């Protein structure tokens, strides 16, 4: 359905007891049922960030606000559906890197300086 649901693991042994913390409308265009393909977390920064790729070829970045997740940026990553995404924190760089791969047989790197 194109939504990303985030749950809090209060009891790691009982998935049924995990309450939903938030629901992001990531890839939910009207009439588009292709949805999300993969996501990658970045907990290495001072603020939590989430990269989500969709079957429409797009990359979207969300950041954790005081109460909920906030849309920060979008990029047309591939000419066909995205297959995966990975986050490389800024260990020795002034920016993070986000890598995506798509059905178009390309791997693309994006600089992320949102922090």
């Amino acid at each position: 359905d194109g939504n990303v649901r985030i749950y809090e693991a209060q009891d790691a042994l009982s998935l049924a007891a995990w309450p939903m913390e938030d629901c992001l409308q990531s890839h939910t265009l009207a009439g588009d049922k292709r949805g999300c393909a993969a996501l990658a977390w970045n907990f290495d920064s001072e603020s939590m960030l989430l990269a989500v790729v969709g079957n429409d070829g797009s990359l979207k970045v969300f950041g954790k606000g005081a109460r909920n997740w906030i849309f920060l940026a979008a990029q047309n990553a591939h000419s066909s559906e995205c297959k995966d995404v990975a986050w490389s924190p800024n260990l020795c760089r002034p920016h993070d890197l986000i890598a995506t791969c798509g059905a178009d047989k390309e791997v693309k790197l994006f600089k992320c300086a949102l922090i």
Side-chain angles (χ1 to χ4, degrees), residues 26-45:
S26 178
H27 291 80
T28 56
L29 294 175
D32 186 1
K33 300 192 184 306
R34 294 179 284 181
C36 304
L39 59 86
W41 296 92
N42 180 7
F43 287 110
D44 293 335
S45 65

Side-chain angles (χ1 to χ4, degrees), residues 6-63:
I6 300 171
Y7 294 86
E8 184 179 349
Q10 292 180 343
D11 180 2
L13 300 176
S14 175
L15 293 175
W18 290 14
M20 186 167 55
E21 181 182 296
D22 209 345
C23 181
L24 313 174
Q25 292 185 346
S26 178
H27 291 80
T28 56
L29 294 175
D32 186 1
K33 300 192 184 306
R34 294 179 284 181
C36 304
L39 59 86
W41 296 92
N42 180 7
F43 287 110
D44 293 335
S45 65
E46 291 183 16
S47 60
M48 290 189 288
L49 298 172
L50 177 66
V52 182
V53 291
N55 290 320
D56 61 353
S58 67
L59 162 68
K60 295 184 180 180
V61 178
F62 296 87

Side-chain angles (χ1 to χ4, degrees), residues 86-103:
W87 205 297
S88 176
N90 63 355
L91 298 176
C92 294
R93 297 180 305 269
H95 55 270
D96 291 356
L97 288 176
I98 300 174
T100 63
C101 65

